[in-house]
Amino acid sequence: MTARAMVSPDKVLVLNTGSSSIKFSLFGGASPELLLKGRIENLFSGPTRFVVQDGANHPVHEQAWPEALDHAAGMRALLAFLDARTDGHGLRAVGHRIVHGGALYSGPQRLDEAVLAALEELVPLAPLHLPHNLAAVRAAMDMAPGVPQVGCFDTAFHRAQPALAQAFALPREITERGIRRYGFHGLSYEYIASRLPHADPALAQARVVAAHLGNGASMCAMRAGRSVASSMGFTAVDGLPMGTRCGAVDPGVVLYLIDQLGMDVAAVQDLLYLRSGLLGVSGISSDMRELEGSAAPSARLAIDLMVYRIGRELGSLAAALGGIDALVFSGGIGENSVALRAAVCRDAGWLGVELDPVANAGELAGVARISAPTSAVSVWVVPANEELMIARHTLNILDGIHG
Ligand code: ADP
């Protein structure tokens, strides 16, 4: 036995695979601690690029290919890098972010052929994301045989919601075909729920509304760390306006687009997922930074509409909770946009939200409170960290903690 083989593998590789990229994080130790993170981007379109940083954001590796790599080739490059870097990849397990677990999975799941077959059945529920997630699982299984693979679902956290919160007012035979509210960004909300009691022990039992505001955006009502309701429903296009997604529209709009404007399914999908939201309203960009820097009235309108819809959802989610004790901002916009947080908190004054403008505009590190000491509702910024949540789940599954 070589010295290398005697070292017991302790690393967890976390993968978040989309249509054109593989994002990864490598964690080590029991805590677990972030060692490396990076992404392989421009899969399928090329030129494919691979960049890696260490846990302190210092660049450690960069590589590019003139051609377009697919998921399997990207995964091969990633594992080869880890092999070379860590003298044998040293992987104890791979944890995958998987967009949909349907009504079946209410927690992380060890992945095998039977589970993969069940997940294949769910592809029609998330055709834009799930096939890519599953391609990464298959590639990792092939290339690292014997390394356990664990699936962590964006929907799982919301399975604890009351039945009413998961229901559409549709006939039973439609519901039985899986057409119900699932909710997404669950790993982000679960991470937020795990962090809040460390910041203030009283929050462990509190009524919390969290807003995950990134390119995708949603809000979730939580009581005592469990999801009670969410703004996203059957798909991740519902709820708030997002970077390029419309959020909630009257379903009659979709019928009108088809019936009166002659759009087919692909055209409607393209409109609602890729040409709406901040981009569609502003006509300028899906990127909040760019809109905040623009003097164009349409950029202002796009931001105002997002703030307005966040306020409306906040009222709805507070109603589902019967009140609110804390409001949380997360995701690229929630963590960084001082102006958006200020506008949302201004509009939420009726709920007892009172911002501390100095704290809001200050340098925030980790979980930070930005409300005034007198605020009836505490307001927090929690940096999103779905990857750490997945690493923890993966270790817990291996250690039998999830049963
Ligand atoms: P994803 O959902 O793809 O993970 P992120 O969570 O990284 O996306 O969020 C991306 C969004 O965050 C973009 O709209 C970007 O403009 C916004 N953002 C990032 N930094 C800032 C900033 N300093 N001010 C305002 N918005 C920001």
Side-chain angles (χ1 to χ4, degrees):
M1 210 184 237
T2 64
R4 174 171 147 174
M6 279 161 48
V7 177
S8 74
D10 74 334
K11 298 191 181 60
V12 176
L13 176 64
V14 171
L15 295 177
N16 179 0
T17 307
S19 56
S20 66
S21 71
I22 301 173
K23 295 185 199 154
F24 79 94
S25 306
L26 187 73
F27 291 87
S31 353
E33 197 183 315
L34 180 66
L35 305 175
L36 296 171
K37 65 180 173 185
R39 60 170 71 211
I40 301 179
E41 54 199 8
N42 297 339
L43 292 172
F44 298 99
S45 63
T48 300
R49 221 166 76 88
F50 178 26
V51 289
V52 187
Q53 300 166 319
D54 65 16
N57 288 328
H58 299 124
V60 297
H61 182 76
E62 197 167 335
Q63 196 175 345
W65 295 264
E67 72 276 22
L69 269 51
D70 62 9
H71 285 127
M75 193 71 75
R76 211 170 295 120
L78 171 56
L79 290 177
F81 165 77
L82 292 178
D83 248 341
R85 170 94 186 172
T86 60
D87 191 17
H89 57 60
L91 293 183
R92 185 172 175 216
V94 182
H96 297 265
R97 181 172 178 188
I98 297 186
V99 65
H100 221 302
L104 279 177
Y105 299 118
S106 57
Q109 189 71 29
R110 182 102 174 229
L111 300 171
D112 56 21
E113 279 305 326
V115 175
L116 280 183
L119 291 174
E120 294 284 357
E121 299 277 310
L122 299 176
V123 163
L125 295 181
L128 301 182
H129 296 100
L130 197 50
H132 308 297
N133 301 159
L134 298 182
V137 176
R138 295 222 177 264
M141 276 177 165
D142 285 352
M143 289 169 213
V147 175
Q149 314 278 325
V150 174
C152 299
F153 306 99
D154 273 310
T155 50
F157 185 59
H158 302 299
R159 293 283 61 71
Q161 288 176 4
L164 284 179
Q166 300 187 49
F168 287 125
L170 290 169
R172 185 208 289 232
E173 64 270 21
I174 299 294
T175 305
E176 282 169 357
R177 300 187 72 156
I179 301 170
R180 50 195 285 179
R181 296 181 62 90
Y182 291 99
F184 298 88
H185 287 140
L187 293 157
S188 177
Y189 295 124
E190 201 176 1
Y191 174 74
I192 290 168
S194 78
R195 292 294 302 145
L196 287 177
H198 295 282
D200 177 355
L203 293 178
Q205 298 304 319
R207 297 163 300 178
V208 176
V209 175
H212 178 105
L213 308 174
N215 284 312
S218 72
M219 294 172 74
C220 177
M222 299 184 271
R223 183 186 289 115
R226 289 161 74 90
S227 174
V228 167
S230 55
S231 65
M232 279 179 174
F234 178 61
T235 64
V237 76
D238 196 9
L240 302 176
M242 309 177 212
T244 64
R245 288 172 244 167
C246 58
V249 293
D250 176 345
V253 170
V254 177
L255 300 178
Y256 188 90
L257 295 174
I258 296 166
D259 195 35
Q260 296 297 318
L261 302 191
M263 293 171 78
D264 63 13
V265 171
V268 173
Q269 179 169 294
D270 183 67
L271 174 71
L272 303 183
Y273 278 84
L274 300 176
R275 296 197 289 119
S276 297
L278 295 176
L279 173 65
V281 176
S282 70
I284 295 172
S285 173
S286 64
D287 193 296
M288 182 57 100
R289 265 168 306 200
E290 224 176 293
L291 297 181
E292 287 187 341
S294 166
S298 64
R300 186 71 259 152
L301 177 65
I303 298 172
D304 287 349
L305 185 53
M306 186 175 220
V307 169
Y308 174 77
R309 295 305 319 183
I310 291 171
R312 293 273 303 261
E313 282 294 338
L314 178 58
S316 164
L317 294 169
L321 286 166
I324 174 173
D325 303 305
L327 172 64
V328 177
F329 291 95
S330 190
I333 298 172
E335 292 162 36
N336 296 298
S337 176
V338 172
L340 179 124
R341 290 194 303 253
V344 169
C345 290
R346 174 202 64 208
D347 292 353
W350 67 280
L351 280 169
V353 171
E354 201 188 325
L355 193 67
D356 174 343
V358 175
N360 184 43
E363 198 64 44
L364 305 177
V367 177
R369 182 175 162 144
I370 57 168
S371 48
T374 47
S375 183
V377 176
S378 61
V379 184
W380 304 83
V381 176
V382 179
N385 202 340
E386 289 108 320
E387 297 78 13
L388 180 57
M389 200 67 236
I390 294 169
R392 282 192 202 150
H393 277 316
T394 301
L395 288 170
N396 287 345
I397 284 275
L398 297 188
D399 295 339
I401 293 174
H402 284 280

